[in-house]
Amino acid sequence: MNRIVKTGLLAGAVVLAGYGAAMADSGTGSHKLGGMLTMTHGMLRTSGLDGATIYNENGKDLATLKNILVSDNGGPTTVVASADGRLVSFPLSKLKFQKSDPNSTAKRPDYSVVYPGASESTFKAMPKFHYDSGNQG
């Protein structure tokens, strides 16, 4: 083999080994709630939140987080979620972020998005959200 091919194979092996180590370190082996979010500098990345499942504290899958909206003055943040095929919105303060497996000892455990006390009827009672008008209803 020439030098370029050897270098490429070695780089690929390093990437795969690094990926395996990262997965082993992330605590993704057991998911009480099914989360896949990890902390960075003690905070969750918003890019990791888009598409995350929203659970209640009993592990019931209730909705999918679509976006987090922030006003231009940094005021209250709003969550847009898809529940039962329709978009709804509610304050970000309603959500909690907790370890998916509370017994995890991983250096970087994964986290789940939890709406405590929520049920399917909680989301059904919310007004529809529309991106185009910026209004609910």
Side-chain angles (χ1 to χ4, degrees), residues 9-25:
L9 290 173
L10 178 60
V14 169
V15 168
L16 287 175
Y19 176 75
M23 290 304 289
D25 186 44

Side-chain angles (χ1 to χ4, degrees), residues 30-37 53 55 59 100-101 110-113:
S30 60
H31 302 250
K32 181 177 180 198
L33 295 173
M36 290 296 291
L37 307 171
T53 301
Y55 300 92
S100 300
D101 178 0
D110 59 88
Y111 283 75
S112 293
V113 181

